[in-house]
Amino acid sequence: MIDQVTVQKIIDAAEITSLIQEFVSLKRRGANYLGLCPFHNEKTPSFTVSPSKGIFKCFGCGKAGNAVSFIMAHEQLSYPEALRYLAKKYNIHIEEKELTVEDIRANTERESMNIVNEAACKYFENTLFNSDEGISIGLSYFKERGFNEQVIKEFRLGYSLEQKNAFTEWALKNGYKKEFLESTGLSFFKENYYFDRFAARVMFPILSIAGQVVGFGARTLSNDKKTAKYLNSPESLVYNKSKVVYGLFHAKNEIIKQNKKCYLVEGYMDVISLFMTGIKNVVSSSGTSLTEDQIRQIHRFADDITILYDGDLAGIKASLRAIDMILEQGLNVRIVLFPEGEDPDSYAKKHGSSKTIEYIEKNETDFISFKANLLFDEAKNDPIKRASLITDIVRSIAIINDNIKQSIYIQECSKILDVDQSVLYAEVLKIRRSKIESIKKQEYRYSQPVKLTPSLPDSFEGIYFESQEKEIIRLLLLYGNNIIDIKDGATETELEISVAQFIINELRSEGLEFKNVINKKIFLFAEELINNDEPIKIELFTHNLDPEISQVSVNLCSSKYELSPIWEKRGSPILKEEKRLQEILEDVFIKYKLKIAKEFETNVKNKIKLLTESKNDEELQSTLEDFKKIKGILKDLSNMQGRVIL
Ligand code: ZN
């Protein structure tokens, strides 16, 4: 358990912009910062960070929160894990309360797996440098490959002993649980024995963007053809192969420094070799062929990717596939092929650092020249092949969403292939049009059922109800201190009252309570502030120690909703809702009460039915009275609603 004082310290220390900047490349936009959302797939940035409010919000997928919730969502951590993560980062000592049995149980599986992976990484590092076998086999292998000690330590390389269960034995002896050794894939357990997954291999830990060890790649040093050259950790709760980009943790800052340019290579060795030559903005998809998710991860820091692959057939094929995927995600792509049979690692080892850099600079080509060079010789005298080459390149150009970029590429292509620009434009348009048609068809399909249901079905009632509660809370938090004029029905006089006071009166005088527990918590906290004559300060809610309160508050107070949805729907002239608070509040409460009254009406109707059946005349009489009353209330509310809508 972390005590509340420490929690507050952590929350105060976490500066949201610099924190998020470690994961997302942000640009200043007025008072806010803007970047590509790390939580959904997007090409134009809609992820906003507000340093003054200390919150983030994505207008694409709706994800929002404060510094703690960002780390929770991004690193897939629980609330206490996220707090510990931030405490470590900002050097805040955590005063741990005595751990109870529940606390220990609350240490989630994920956290335990992270702990085991980190311990394993340290163990393998230690074995590499401090055991005879590690030094004579592992370390000498790395040194042979030209790695110096600094880079070995930086990438946390390690060694796993030949003895088949050395690691597992060590781990069990040191109290690491079988369960997590198994779920991380580090060990196998059979009925009477256990063994290591990675025995007799050099180890490449795979780090998350935040630097946490999530898995391992391991290379065998044996020449036995039956042994797989590389083994990887299996997919697990903490390791998602298709999402992790090897080297991104080390490369991210350099990518930003190098004008958002990133080199993409194939293996672990390539990354480390280039890193040593001084090219530090380098990553690899390692373990899988490049995925869309990986490109998205890279795109968070980079706008330009240069592919550095082996010049053999497999390398060329992989490059062609990568080109279209990268273009589709809105990045620029260039290609460097190394001489056949060479990869960046072997080239760097043979020719040294400056020659390698020179080679890359000289041979970097855009994707059109790359494709053209690849196929042109073959296609030069064959009109059919030539036509299909042109179509192929045009297809890639059509993927690009940016019109300016697209026309530049068309010019380039026209020059290289000696085809009229207008012909190329026509082709691109044709491809794009057919794409748009197919998207439209899909959208049409999705929109069908919605159009067929003009009124909300019963099952949506609860959600509808919830939306009234949320709207009231939103107004309470954003405008709680604003003063409005209301007419007091009894005395016919104008009263000045704060929005918060108005909301509290409306709810309390009718004996109404929010159904949603978190909404209720927020309301009670606001009420307490008002009763103590304290203003409603939004930070008290968005940075509340209760993560549920802070999350809901952030969601409700993000600026997209500065205009009430009510006004947007009605198509009224767009006025700041601050100027129409009175009307908005009235409208919300009428809707809210209507909803409650209707629910009440349904209950009373059911009761009448039951009482009639059971012939309980006395109670039936009083229930019929209730029914009359509620009908009257419903009528009044409907009339009021009509008035407000005018
Ligand atoms: Zn998003």
Side-chain angles (χ1 to χ4, degrees):
M1 274 287 285
I2 307 171
D3 65 88
Q4 294 296 302
V5 179
T6 314
V7 172
Q8 192 59 57
K9 254 195 231 164
I10 295 168
I11 291 174
D12 291 344
E15 200 286 300
I16 193 151
T17 317
S18 62
L19 178 73
I20 291 182
Q21 227 145 14
E22 287 181 30
F23 303 94
V24 181
S25 155
L26 296 171
K27 274 198 193 116
R28 204 182 174 107
R29 187 68 55 86
N32 294 335
Y33 288 80
L34 201 63
L36 287 172
C37 178
F39 303 113
H40 85 283
N41 191 355
E42 64 175 4
K43 284 159 201 154
T44 44
S46 50
F47 180 81
T48 311
V49 178
S50 160
S52 58
K53 287 184 192 157
I55 63 176
F56 71 90
K57 163 97 186 171
C58 172
F59 292 115
C61 65
K63 197 133 205 140
N66 57 29
V68 184
S69 36
F70 179 84
I71 292 299
M72 283 169 72
H74 193 272
E75 295 301 296
Q76 304 276 310
L77 301 174
S78 68
Y79 182 63
E81 284 165 17
L83 287 172
R84 285 206 179 87
Y85 173 100
L86 290 169
K88 198 169 146 201
K89 184 171 181 60
Y90 297 107
N91 289 320
I92 293 164
H93 177 68
I94 291 187
E95 208 66 64
E96 295 273 2
K97 281 192 209 156
E98 196 83 1
L99 284 180
T100 65
V101 181
E102 283 85 66
D103 293 334
I104 293 165
R105 223 176 278 147
N107 272 354
T108 63
E109 193 176 350
R110 195 184 291 278
E111 193 176 13
S112 306
M113 288 170 77
N114 285 334
I115 290 168
V116 167
N117 273 328
E118 173 62 29
C121 184
K122 280 204 181 109
Y123 169 86
F124 296 133
E125 282 180 284
N126 185 46
T127 309
L128 179 73
F129 283 105
N130 299 319
S131 74
D132 292 342
E133 190 188 324
I135 294 167
S136 66
I137 299 177
L139 198 57
S140 72
Y141 169 78
F142 285 134
K143 292 210 163 144
E144 231 170 79
R145 300 297 299 238
F147 292 1
N148 59 30
E149 224 160 88
Q150 195 193 337
V151 89
I152 293 172
K153 284 192 172 144
E154 180 133 26
F155 281 87
R156 307 192 64 186
L157 306 183
Y159 180 73
S160 179
L161 295 168
E162 278 170 14
Q163 188 198 319
K164 293 244 177 299
N165 58 7
F167 163 73
T168 309
E169 202 167 77
W170 170 87
L172 289 172
K173 210 159 73 194
N174 283 277
Y176 295 101
K177 281 202 191 122
K178 180 184 157 204
E179 182 190 349
F180 304 116
L181 291 166
E182 218 165 20
S183 61
T184 50
L186 285 159
S187 311
F188 296 104
F189 289 87
K190 296 275 173 263
E191 220 168 290
N192 297 317
Y193 63 103
Y194 49 80
F195 54 97
D196 301 348
R197 173 183 294 266
F198 300 118
R201 287 171 182 270
V202 285
M203 305 296 296
F204 299 84
I206 297 160
L207 309 183
S208 70
I209 295 185
Q212 221 157 12
V213 181
V214 293
F216 294 89
R219 189 191 196 283
T220 179
L221 302 180
S222 121
N223 289 323
D224 185 355
K225 286 252 154 60
K226 275 183 269 168
T227 315
K229 197 164 155 195
Y230 278 97
L231 258 188
N232 277 312
S233 294
E235 293 266 327
S236 72
L237 205 57
V238 295
Y239 179 43
N240 183 339
K241 263 182 211 176
S242 62
K243 278 199 176 142
V244 175
V245 179
Y246 184 73
L248 195 51
F249 169 69
H250 290 98
K252 57 184 184 184
N253 291 329
E254 188 70 13
I255 292 172
I256 293 167
K257 266 192 229 154
Q258 300 297 332
N259 294 318
K260 300 194 158 199
K261 177 173 179 163
C262 178
Y263 290 103
L264 178 67
V265 294
E266 280 177 299
Y268 308 112
M269 295 297 230
D270 298 322
V271 169
I272 300 171
S273 282
L274 283 188
F275 196 88
M276 273 186 52
T277 67
I279 297 177
K280 295 188 172 178
N281 46 335
V282 58
V283 300
S284 104
S285 62
S286 73
T288 61
S289 50
L290 187 68
T291 67
E292 253 175 51
D293 275 331
Q294 288 173 332
I295 298 171
R296 281 177 48 210
Q297 299 290 331
I298 299 170
H299 196 183
R300 288 160 60 181
F301 306 96
D303 287 336
D304 298 282
I305 294 184
T306 296
I307 303 171
L308 307 179
Y309 283 177
D310 189 336
D312 63 8
L313 199 63
I316 291 168
K317 257 192 169 166
S319 307
L320 288 172
R321 181 175 162 275
I323 288 170
D324 284 0
M325 287 175 76
I326 294 169
L327 288 173
E328 198 142 54
Q329 297 282 325
L331 292 99
N332 304 313
V333 59
R334 297 170 157 271
I335 303 96
V336 177
L337 285 189
F338 280 82
E340 203 172 331
E342 298 264 28
D343 53 31
D345 173 42
S346 65
Y347 196 92
K349 201 182 154 206
K350 242 184 243 170
H351 303 276
S353 161
S354 61
K355 282 260 164 63
T356 309
I357 295 172
E358 197 186 304
Y359 182 87
I360 291 170
E361 279 170 358
K362 252 196 195 150
N363 289 281
E364 202 165 359
T365 50
D366 64 72
F367 72 92
I368 296 170
S369 314
F370 172 74
K371 282 193 171 184
N373 289 339
L374 210 59
L375 306 162
F376 202 57
D377 278 342
E378 201 188 338
K380 210 172 355 187
N381 300 315
D382 184 335
I384 295 171
K385 273 191 183 155
R386 190 153 174 268
S388 85
L389 167 64
I390 292 167
T391 314
D392 181 15
I393 293 176
V394 167
R395 232 173 252 288
S396 293
I397 295 176
I399 292 172
I400 300 166
N401 259 322
D402 184 317
N403 288 334
I404 296 167
K405 263 194 224 167
Q406 205 171 56
S407 65
I408 291 169
Y409 279 123
I410 287 175
Q411 283 169 28
E412 184 76 24
C413 184
S414 147
K415 243 188 280 164
I416 294 171
L417 297 175
D418 194 22
V419 183
D420 207 60
Q421 280 194 37
S422 60
V423 175
L424 296 174
Y425 268 114
E427 272 305 302
V428 167
L429 271 182
K430 219 165 76 189
I431 294 169
R432 297 203 71 141
R433 221 171 274 145
S434 76
K435 230 189 203 166
I436 290 167
E437 284 304 310
S438 78
I439 292 171
K440 261 192 195 155
K441 257 183 220 153
Q442 268 176 17
E443 275 174 1
Y444 181 69
R445 247 201 325 273
Y446 291 135
S447 65
Q448 281 299 301
V450 179
K451 279 183 190 154
L452 291 173
T453 52
S455 63
L456 286 169
D458 286 350
S459 58
F460 280 96
E461 296 265 296
I463 294 168
Y464 183 58
F465 193 61
E466 163 84 359
S467 78
Q468 316 293 317
E469 285 190 7
K470 286 260 183 303
E471 178 66 357
I472 293 170
I473 294 284
R474 187 184 71 87
L475 294 165
L476 174 66
L477 295 183
L478 282 179
Y479 306 111
N481 305 322
N482 287 40
I483 300 295
I484 50 169
D485 295 324
I486 56 159
K487 204 173 238 172
D488 183 38
T491 59
E492 287 283 317
T493 47
E494 294 266 329
L495 279 176
E496 278 190 351
I497 184 172
S498 78
V499 168
Q501 195 60 61
F502 174 82
I503 290 173
I504 291 168
N505 290 352
E506 281 291 307
L507 290 169
R508 287 296 181 207
S509 64
E510 307 269 2
L512 299 173
E513 258 190 357
F514 286 141
K515 289 199 174 173
N516 177 298
V517 185
I518 304 164
N519 293 344
K520 197 169 160 183
K521 268 202 247 178
I522 295 177
F523 173 74
L524 290 176
F525 180 44
E527 190 180 38
E528 197 185 312
L529 289 174
I530 294 297
N531 289 343
N532 291 329
D533 275 334
E534 283 180 58
I536 304 278
K537 270 201 202 135
I538 192 102
E539 311 84 64
L540 292 175
F541 294 85
T542 55
H543 288 72
N544 199 281
L545 295 178
D546 182 332
E548 288 183 326
I549 291 184
S550 71
Q551 186 60 54
V552 170
S553 312
V554 168
N555 282 334
L556 290 175
C557 299
S558 312
S559 53
K560 179 149 190 186
Y561 301 104
E562 262 159 28
L563 260 179
S564 166
I566 296 161
W567 299 111
E568 283 178 338
K569 264 188 214 141
R570 280 190 211 156
S572 312
I574 293 175
L575 271 186
K576 280 229 157 177
E577 72 175 3
E578 205 167 347
K579 296 198 174 140
R580 317 185 74 150
L581 276 177
Q582 219 162 307
E583 290 160 274
I584 292 170
L585 278 165
E586 253 179 76
D587 187 274
V588 166
F589 271 101
I590 288 167
K591 284 208 172 104
Y592 181 55
K593 287 177 188 169
L594 254 175
K595 179 71 197 70
I596 293 166
K598 273 182 189 151
E599 198 173 73
F600 194 72
E601 187 196 17
T602 314
N603 289 342
V604 171
K605 262 191 201 160
N606 287 337
K607 199 171 167 193
I608 290 172
K609 204 174 145 211
L610 284 173
L611 290 171
T612 317
E613 277 164 13
S614 65
K615 301 208 165 95
N616 186 340
D617 286 341
E618 202 176 312
E619 220 187 320
L620 183 63
Q621 270 314 317
S622 74
T623 313
L624 283 170
E625 292 285 312
D626 284 348
F627 188 64
K628 231 196 233 160
K629 234 185 268 168
I630 197 72
K631 274 286 178 203
I633 293 170
L634 275 169
K635 201 175 146 203
D636 287 350
L637 285 169
S638 302
N639 286 340
M640 283 168 84
Q641 190 181 31
R643 198 190 70 212
V644 172
I645 280 175
L646 284 173

